[in-house]
């Protein structure tokens, strides 16, 4: 039964992994778009004396959107920083529990942040808020794109949390380590395998 | 007097500006506790000290996070476009007119606050010094702004600048002095005294002293629940205190600050704040004012009217319209 | 209350709860127990304000610039060239780390971006040559901090904005202290490695021919420096816009070298997003924490204390330096600046200190905060770039450099003209 759940979760997580990579790439393209916008702005100001694309306003939105689209990718690459000074000295079972605590803390983070971001976006939409800038952008548009990134991040966090929980329940500590443990250990394990081979 | 025993937490506007240092902070931090004989205690901070940008404070007040707060009306127009009607480019060329407009529009603003921010109570309308134009290139009047690259932050100022035939450049405020100096832009708009204290006179040559950027009114409002929790007597006392010991002095000083700002920037007149600059003071002509009325009537007011309900347009015409002789229509 | 928050923070961090989550949880905890207002209601607005930031965009842009230089081999050949000049010193490659960081700082306005770039190039070299990871990673984290002292600098822009100080003057003021600090790093590293050779690596010698022929590989970086800094001083671009021009420049260099391909760009973007995601999550979480700290009155208590204490100028300055060192342990630097400068700068200026000079001193303290544990973005960046190994290595390895920074603080207080001479001359 637990094994079944674990393999479903693994299957789902593989999908999340791919999805996150593409979200991050899309965010990266937005950053490249900023480069294009700002360069156009500089050139058009220099040669035609006008603001071509209102880059200042747009780059703010792009910053918010592209970074939120990267959160899940960062998570799947285990790049959200955890301080592992004590962690590394503990036995593997305790580490598994700490991994669960870490994931649950991130899940709490997500619940709060997504809820708050949803409220802000909804208020901007219902209130018809438009930025006080020459573009007068309806604020809910960038906020919605930002929210999507946060929701995707939450999905990743929740699935990973479940995987860690069920991994612990089924006593498969190595699995837990693989999906959510400190990246330091991955490397040590990798090197041991290399030596063994 | 029988005042409530209560505490008020106040979140003010930009901590580095004189409005906060000379008026907001002394009033809320010292005057209110003293004048109430210790019945009302206060805690005072500013939105920049909280890491906020200033545009969200009314919203936070509406959600019971903040009790009393002040911010520039322009920052909050995303949530309440009605506020924008108060502050149009050069609509009030001098302090007296600015105050007349503020007083006329006050009931309308009060209703807008109640409607937009969860029954919030409007407490005060105070001006920042008038938002004048600094150019690092020669201009002789408003007409010479045509074809110039002008940094304008707010929507109405940007629209106005465009109506004049200039290019509205969007640029982060922090980058303005450097951009002026190196010719990235030709002109920029800010308060005369704050322009002086940030050294804009060192990077620009000509000063057009009329409020092309309006007055940047700073509005103070109280959370609706908090207001309702105060006794009628306390409410009355507080309103009276705010008017006589905060609002009136700020308006009186605005006359002096406008004069002083121009004196310090141009070196004409007395400047006690430091080394005066030597900017060229550009005189406004009758023609300038006609031009402004034309653009307000033809472009800016209709644009604004499109952003709000007809009800607010009517009320604008009944109040500010009467004072200025302008008319807004969709 | 301050002690309780510190305790909560430390417990969560030691339990290896992710840093961003720790900061938010601490914010909630303080809100729950110390605030009369439901501050959590403000979270959405605060997070959006922090995310929708024109200034932050410079971080991914500078990281992307570095990523492109890494993937086209420019960063590596620059590193090699500098190594050939400096690795005869005791400590070997460590000096190449610092020197490359110094050079890249002149094209990058962000310390994390500088550290990420140098880390990506240097760490494989250090591993291949079996360097002790501590001082090796520490020198990268510390060298990277020069990114905000040597112009261009995002943090100096923030300081200039908050204190209404001239940004070009601040940029000019940062140059000499930045170079001097780099020199102190090199000197200090050499001394440490003379004392404990095992902390460094083998000194290697290169012929003069090798050294001079290597100089040609500095051309791309110097060109980029010309584009980024040149476009600012020529009046073409503002400091933040220059970051975009730098990316275009890096892409053109890649094209010119025949190394521009779809996979290079894609990999550079992926690397950029991974680091950006890590940094931004921490930054927005810390904005919320700071909002809570300010709302609950901690910040206000601080300013009242400083103003009413009535110490003389130098004692107050000492107090403020101490304060930044302590706060710097725990608070992310960009939000630390935003929250403290409106309080501290007026006090300092009223005491008669020069605002430009204080800006540079503050940047130095911010650099220190970037490499002091437990919350130090540069430590995190280097750790995330090396993909493995304990975080302890980086933490311990950076400590000597904190000492060198303290020495620099002392020099700057004793000789203010280190910062003030250049802006005066240029004026
Ligand atoms: Na730099
Ligand atoms: Na730190």
């Amino acid at each position: 039964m637990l094994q079944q759940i674990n393999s479903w979760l693994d299957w789902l997580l593989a999908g999340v992994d791919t999805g996150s990579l593409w979200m991050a790439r899309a965010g990266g393209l937005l950053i490249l778009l900023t480069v294009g916008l700002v360069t156009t702005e500089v050139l058009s100001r220099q040669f035609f004396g006008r603001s071509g694309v209102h880059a200042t306003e747009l780059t703010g939105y792009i910053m918010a959107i592209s970074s939120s689209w990267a959160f899940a990718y960062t998570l799947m690459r285990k790049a959200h920083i955890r301080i592992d000074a004590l962690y590394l000295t503990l036995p593997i079972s305790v580490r598994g529990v700490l991994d669960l605590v870490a994931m649950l803390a991130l899940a709490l983070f997500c619940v709060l942040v997504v809820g708050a971001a949803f409220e802000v976006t909804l208020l901007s939409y219902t209130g018809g808020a438009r930025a006080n800038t020459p573009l007068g952008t309806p604020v809910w548009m960038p906020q919605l794109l930002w929210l999507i990134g946060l929701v995707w991040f939450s999905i990743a966090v929740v699935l990973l949390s479940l995987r860690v929980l069920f991994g612990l329940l089924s006593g498969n500590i190595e699995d837990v380590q693989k999906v959510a443990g400190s990246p330091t250990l991955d490397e040590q394990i990798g090197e041991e395998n290399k030596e063994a081979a | 007097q029988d005042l409530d025993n209560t505490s008020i937490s106040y979140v003010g506007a930009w901590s580095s500006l004189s409005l906060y240092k000379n008026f907001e902070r002394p009033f809320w931090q010292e005057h209110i506790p003293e004048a109430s004989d210790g019945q009302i205690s206060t805690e005072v901070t500013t939105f920049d000290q909280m890491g906020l940008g200033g545009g969200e404070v009314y919203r936070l007040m509406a959600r019971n996070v903040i009790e009393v707060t002040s911010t520039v009306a322009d920052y909050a127009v995303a949530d309440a476009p009605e506020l924008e009607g108060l502050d149009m480019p050069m609509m009030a060329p001098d302090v007296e007119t600015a105050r007349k407009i503020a007083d006329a529009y006050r009931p309308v603003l009060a209703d807008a606050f109640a409607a937009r921010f969860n029954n919030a109570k409007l407490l005060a309308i105070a001006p920042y010094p008038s938002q004048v134009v600094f150019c690092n290139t020669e201009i002789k009047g408003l007409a010479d702004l045509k074809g110039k690259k002008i940094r304008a932050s707010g929507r109405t100022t940007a629209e106005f600048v465009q109506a004049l035939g200039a290019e509205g450049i969007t640029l982060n405020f922090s980058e303005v002095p450097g951009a002026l100096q190196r010719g990235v832009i030709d002109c920029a708009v800010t308060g005369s005294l704050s322009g002086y204290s940030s050294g804009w006179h060192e990077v620009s040559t000509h000063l057009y002293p009329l409020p092309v950027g309006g007055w940047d009114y700073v509005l103070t409002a109280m959370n609706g629940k908090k207001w309702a929790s105060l006794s009628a007597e306390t409410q009355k006392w507080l309103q009276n205190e705010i008017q006589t010991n905060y609002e009136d002095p700020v308006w009186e000083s605005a006359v002096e600050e406008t004069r002083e700002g121009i004196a310090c920037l141009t070196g004409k007149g007395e400047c006690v704040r430091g080394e005066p600059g030597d900017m060229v003071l550009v005189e406004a002509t009758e023609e300038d004012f006609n031009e402004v009325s034309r653009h307000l009537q033809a472009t800016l007011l209709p644009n604004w009217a499109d952003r709000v309900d007809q009800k607010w347009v009517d009320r604008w015409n009944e109040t500010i319209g009467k004072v200025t002789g302008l008319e807004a229509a969709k | 209350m301050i002690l309780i928050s510190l305790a909560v923070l430390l417990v969560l961090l030691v339990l290896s709860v992710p840093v961003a989550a720790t900061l938010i949880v601490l914010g909630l905890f303080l809100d729950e127990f110390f605030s009369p207002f439901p501050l959590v209601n403000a979270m959405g607005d605060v997070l959006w304000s922090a995310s929708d930031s024109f200034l932050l965009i410079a971080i991914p842009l500078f990281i992307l610039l570095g990523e492109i230089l890494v993937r086209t081999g420019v960063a590596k050949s620059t590193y090699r060239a500098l190594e050939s000049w400096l690795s005869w010193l005791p400590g070997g490659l460590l000096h190449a780390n610092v020197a490359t960081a110094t050079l890249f700082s002149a094209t990058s306005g962000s310390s994390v971006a500088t550290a990420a770039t140098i880390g990506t190039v240097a760490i494989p070299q250090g591993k291949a040559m079996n360097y002790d990871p501590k001082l090796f990673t520490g020198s990268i984290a510390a060298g990277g901090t020069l990114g905000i002292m040597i112009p261009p600098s995002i943090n100096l822009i923030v300081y200039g904005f908050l204190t209404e100080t001239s940004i070009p003057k601040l940029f000019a003021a940062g140059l000499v202290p930045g170079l001097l600090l780099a020199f102190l790093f090199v000197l200090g590293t050499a001394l440490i490695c003379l004392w404990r050779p095992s902390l460094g690596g083998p000194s290697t010698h290169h012929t003069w021919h090798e050294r001079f022929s290597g100089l040609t590989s500095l051309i791309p970086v110097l060109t980029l420096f010309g584009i980024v800094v040149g476009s600012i001083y020529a009046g073409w671009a503002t400091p933040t816009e220059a970051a975009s021009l730098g990316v275009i420049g890096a892409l053109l260099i890649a094209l010119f070298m025949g190394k521009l391909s779809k996979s290079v760009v894609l990999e550079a973007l992926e690397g950029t997003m991974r680091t950006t995601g890590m940094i931004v999550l921490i930054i927005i979480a810390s904005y919320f924490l700071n909002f809570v700290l300010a709302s609950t009155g901690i910040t206000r208590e601080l300013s009242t204390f400083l103003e009413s204490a009535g110490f003389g100028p130098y004692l107050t300055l000492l107090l403020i330096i101490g304060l930044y060192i302590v706060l710097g342990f725990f608070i992310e630097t960009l939000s630390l600046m935003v929250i403290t400068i409106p309080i501290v700068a007026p006090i300092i200026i009223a005491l008669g200190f020069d605002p430009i000079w204080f800006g540079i001193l503050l940047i130095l303290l911010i650099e220190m905060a970037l490499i002091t544990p437990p919350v130090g973005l540069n430590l995190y960046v280097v750790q995330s770039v090396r993909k493995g190994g304990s975080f302890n290595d980086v933490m311990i390895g950076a400590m000597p450099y904190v000492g060198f920074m303290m020495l620099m603080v002392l020099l700057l207080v004793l000789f203010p003209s280190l910062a003030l001479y250049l802006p005066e001359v240029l004026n």
Side-chain angles (χ1 to χ4, degrees):
Chain A
M1 170 62 184
L2 283 175
Q3 283 312 324
Q4 188 63 46
I5 295 176
N6 278 338
S7 56
W8 281 340
L9 284 171
D10 282 336
W11 180 76
L12 282 173
L13 278 171
V16 169
D17 196 49
T18 315
S20 301
L21 175 64
W22 283 101
M23 293 273 288
R25 285 178 174 171
L29 286 179
L30 284 179
I31 298 284
L32 269 191
L33 179 71
T34 310
V35 171
L37 281 178
V38 172
T39 309
T40 313
E41 168 96 16
V42 169
L43 294 178
S44 100
R45 192 171 57 215
Q46 198 60 32
F47 294 111
F48 309 108
R50 66 180 62 184
S51 235
V53 286
H54 301 291
T56 307
E57 181 181 353
L58 291 175
T59 50
Y61 301 145
I62 290 182
M63 183 62 211
I65 296 163
S66 62
S67 55
S68 86
W69 288 6
F71 291 156
Y73 177 64
T74 309
L75 177 75
M76 301 312 282
R77 292 290 169 282
K78 295 187 178 178
H80 286 302
I81 294 291
R82 296 167 63 187
I83 293 175
D84 57 8
L86 178 68
Y87 177 96
L88 290 175
T89 65
L90 298 169
I92 188 163
S93 53
V94 184
R95 282 188 217 147
V97 174
L98 286 184
D99 291 338
L100 183 65
V101 171
M103 289 314 302
L104 290 179
L106 269 185
L108 175 67
F109 177 99
C110 286
V111 169
L112 289 166
V113 169
V114 168
F118 177 75
E119 249 179 277
V120 166
T121 310
L122 190 68
L123 267 179
S124 303
Y125 181 75
T126 53
R130 282 169 165 271
N132 178 23
T133 54
L135 280 183
T137 317
V139 184
W140 66 267
M141 291 185 184
Q143 284 178 337
L144 181 67
L145 292 170
W146 174 63
L147 179 63
I148 289 173
L150 294 173
V151 169
W152 181 255
F153 177 52
S154 308
I155 293 173
V157 167
V158 169
L159 285 176
L160 261 185
S161 307
L162 288 174
R163 183 63 184 84
V164 171
L165 179 66
F166 286 108
L168 283 178
L169 289 178
S170 60
N172 245 332
I173 308 280
E174 283 80 21
D175 275 11
V176 173
Q177 162 58 32
K178 216 171 81 193
V179 296
S182 153
T184 313
L185 293 170
D186 291 347
E187 180 179 327
Q188 283 172 8
I189 293 165
E191 266 164 22
E192 276 160 25
N193 289 347
K194 232 185 277 167
E195 276 161 29
Chain B
Q1 71 212 23
D2 230 1
L3 294 177
D4 295 345
N5 187 336
T6 184
S7 72
I8 293 177
S9 99
Y10 176 79
V11 177
W14 296 112
S15 61
S16 60
L17 296 186
S18 73
L19 179 67
Y20 176 72
K21 287 195 265 196
N22 300 334
F23 298 100
E24 292 176 69
R25 185 162 75 166
F27 177 78
W28 289 100
Q29 190 155 300
E30 282 131 39
H31 179 79
I32 285 289
E34 277 166 25
S36 67
D37 286 329
Q39 282 294 93
I40 302 179
S41 62
T42 56
E43 284 193 7
V44 178
T45 182
T46 62
F47 62 69
D48 53 322
Q49 291 181 0
M50 303 179 92
L52 298 174
E56 62 286 81
V57 286
Y58 294 145
R59 225 177 311 146
L60 297 183
M61 175 187 67
R63 300 162 89 181
N64 306 325
V65 178
I66 293 176
E67 286 185 331
V68 182
T69 187
S70 297
T71 193
V72 180
D74 255 4
Y75 294 1
V77 299
D79 294 322
E82 300 77 22
L83 270 52
E84 227 173 349
L86 177 65
D87 197 18
M88 293 279 164
M90 280 181 75
M91 189 166 70
D94 51 55
V95 180
E96 290 77 44
T97 321
R99 182 143 208 201
K100 267 186 216 150
I101 286 178
D103 286 337
Y105 202 51
R106 186 186 304 259
V108 186
L109 284 176
D111 291 347
F113 264 87
R116 291 282 187 179
F117 300 112
N118 201 7
N119 290 322
K121 169 73 184 171
L122 176 71
L123 292 178
I125 307 175
Y128 269 143
S130 64
Q131 301 291 302
V132 299
V133 184
F134 293 70
C135 288
N136 196 17
T137 177
E138 191 185 345
I139 55 161
K140 294 205 179 74
L142 204 58
D144 285 348
L145 292 180
K146 190 173 178 184
K148 299 284 187 292
K149 291 174 277 184
I150 304 179
R151 189 267 181 185
S153 60
R155 181 164 45 201
T156 52
T157 314
E159 280 173 356
F160 183 62
V161 158
Q162 260 151 20
L164 289 173
E167 281 298 334
I169 302 276
T170 51
L171 206 61
N172 195 269
F173 183 82
S174 55
E175 301 194 305
V176 170
L180 265 177
Q181 183 171 35
R182 297 184 305 273
V184 176
I185 52 174
D186 299 313
C187 307
V189 179
T190 195
S192 47
L193 259 187
S194 66
Y196 175 73
S197 61
S198 345
W200 284 29
H201 55 292
E202 289 166 12
V203 294
S204 52
T205 56
H206 287 66
L207 179 72
Y208 187 74
L210 288 182
V212 168
W215 289 86
D216 267 8
Y217 296 90
V218 174
L219 311 187
T220 307
M222 184 184 264
N223 170 277
K225 268 193 219 154
K226 179 76 186 177
W227 177 253
S229 77
L230 300 176
S231 70
E233 192 165 13
T234 309
Q235 289 181 344
K236 206 171 145 218
W237 178 84
L238 193 61
Q239 270 189 308
N240 184 45
E241 285 297 329
I242 288 173
Q243 168 147 31
T244 50
N245 289 308
Y246 170 70
E247 221 178 21
D248 289 348
V250 175
W251 280 99
E252 275 154 32
S253 87
V255 180
E256 178 54 20
E257 289 210 345
T258 305
R259 189 205 62 75
E260 203 180 358
I262 291 169
C264 286
L265 290 165
T266 61
K268 294 188 182 98
E270 198 193 358
C271 172
V272 293
R273 287 167 189 262
E275 196 68 24
D278 59 352
M279 294 186 71
V280 177
L281 185 67
V282 181
E283 299 287 342
T285 61
E286 193 64 31
E287 218 171 296
D288 286 0
F289 286 107
N290 294 337
E291 185 83 348
V292 171
S293 301
R294 198 166 63 78
H295 290 309
L296 283 175
Q297 198 81 58
T299 318
L300 275 75
L301 287 170
N303 284 354
W304 172 70
D306 281 341
R307 292 194 283 267
V308 296
D309 291 338
Q310 182 61 39
K311 169 175 93 163
W312 301 101
V313 179
D314 294 340
R315 295 193 65 184
W316 191 93
N317 284 324
E318 287 156 19
T319 53
I320 297 185
K322 288 260 164 59
V323 177
T324 59
L326 295 163
E327 197 186 342
K330 284 198 186 257
Chain C
M1 175 160 73
I2 295 177
L3 288 180
I4 297 174
S5 6
L6 288 186
V8 173
L9 181 71
L10 286 178
V11 167
L12 291 173
L13 287 178
V14 164
L15 289 178
S16 79
V17 171
V19 177
T22 302
L23 298 177
I24 287 268
V25 171
L26 176 59
L28 281 178
F29 171 83
L30 291 174
D31 174 23
E32 191 63 36
F33 293 101
F34 296 101
S35 165
F37 307 111
L39 298 179
V40 63
N41 283 357
M43 188 184 271
D45 283 298
V46 173
L47 294 184
W48 172 251
S49 287
S51 305
D52 169 24
S53 162
F54 168 76
L55 279 173
L56 283 184
I57 193 89
I59 294 178
L61 289 177
F62 282 125
I63 294 176
L64 179 59
L65 193 161
E67 286 275 344
I68 296 170
L69 294 184
V70 167
R71 316 241 167 230
T72 51
V74 168
K76 196 166 175 181
S77 53
T78 307
Y79 187 77
R80 283 263 163 79
L82 291 171
E83 187 251 271
S84 74
W85 283 85
L86 290 170
S87 59
W88 58 274
L89 286 162
L93 282 184
L94 299 181
H95 302 289
N97 294 351
V98 174
T100 318
T102 311
L103 193 61
F104 276 93
S105 292
T107 68
S108 173
S110 146
S111 282
V112 288
T114 310
T117 309
I118 311 305
T120 318
V121 184
I123 285 168
Q125 312 285 325
K127 274 187 189 161
M129 292 176 71
N130 272 325
Y131 271 70
D132 182 292
K134 290 189 211 64
L135 211 50
F136 197 85
T137 52
S139 66
I140 296 168
T145 66
L146 293 169
I148 57 170
M149 179 68 91
I150 296 173
S153 160
I154 302 169
N155 296 54
L156 277 176
I157 296 174
V158 172
Y159 177 83
F161 170 56
L162 292 174
T163 59
E164 301 185 332
T165 314
S166 155
I167 291 165
K169 278 187 193 166
L170 285 168
F171 276 16
L175 188 60
V176 172
L179 293 175
L180 183 58
L181 185 59
F183 175 73
L184 284 181
F185 285 172
V186 168
L187 190 69
T189 309
L191 289 176
I192 291 175
C193 294
L194 273 178
W195 171 61
R196 282 277 165 85
S198 65
L199 290 173
S203 300
T204 47
H205 289 268
H206 296 264
T207 65
W208 286 102
H209 176 72
E210 275 179 276
R211 286 176 183 170
F212 280 106
S213 62
L215 286 183
T216 52
S217 44
L218 297 185
I219 292 172
V221 178
L222 294 177
T223 311
L224 268 185
F225 171 73
I227 293 173
V228 174
V229 177
S231 68
I232 296 174
Y233 280 91
W236 279 49
T238 65
T240 33
E241 287 169 343
S244 285
L245 299 186
V247 173
I248 294 280
L251 287 170
L252 288 176
I253 287 170
L255 183 70
F256 185 72
M257 295 172 62
K259 298 232 170 102
L260 191 65
S261 68
K262 201 178 115 198
S263 70
V264 161
V265 174
L266 213 53
E267 279 171 30
L269 287 179
E270 285 165 17
T272 304
M273 296 320 286
R274 194 171 57 93
T275 313
T276 305
M278 186 270 280
I279 300 283
V280 172
L281 201 68
I282 293 175
I283 289 182
I284 62 172
S286 86
Y287 263 87
F288 177 70
L289 175 60
N290 283 336
F291 172 78
V292 173
L293 288 176
S295 302
T296 50
I298 290 190
T299 342
R300 196 167 43 245
E301 278 168 29
L302 211 68
S303 100
T304 319
F305 170 68
L306 282 175
E307 275 173 328
S308 59
F311 302 126
Y314 281 93
L315 201 55
T316 310
L317 183 68
L318 191 69
L319 212 64
I320 286 176
I321 291 174
L323 185 80
Y324 272 102
I325 293 175
V326 173
L327 290 178
F329 289 144
F330 306 102
I331 303 183
E332 181 279 318
T333 50
L334 210 51
S335 40
L336 175 64
M337 289 183 71
V338 169
I339 214 108
T340 56
I341 288 173
I343 297 167
V344 170
I347 299 175
I348 282 286
I349 293 164
L351 289 172
F353 293 103
D354 186 289
I356 300 221
W357 169 82
F358 181 67
I360 301 305
L361 181 69
L362 185 70
I363 293 295
L364 196 55
L365 295 166
I366 293 297
E367 284 189 82
M368 211 182 281
L370 282 166
I371 57 167
T372 52
V375 180
L377 283 192
N378 266 34
L379 302 176
Y380 298 164
V381 165
V382 173
Q383 175 64 15
S384 93
V385 166
R386 67 198 282 242
K387 297 173 187 142
S390 169
F391 184 63
N392 293 6
D393 295 342
V394 194
M395 237 159 49
I396 295 167
M399 277 179 193
Y401 295 93
V402 177
F404 307 147
M405 287 175 178
M406 299 248 197
L407 181 61
M408 187 65 213
V409 167
L410 187 68
L411 288 175
L412 203 56
V413 173
L414 290 178
F415 310 105
S417 55
L418 285 175
L420 294 177
Y421 180 72
L422 204 55
E424 267 163 38
V425 171
L426 289 181
N427 213 10

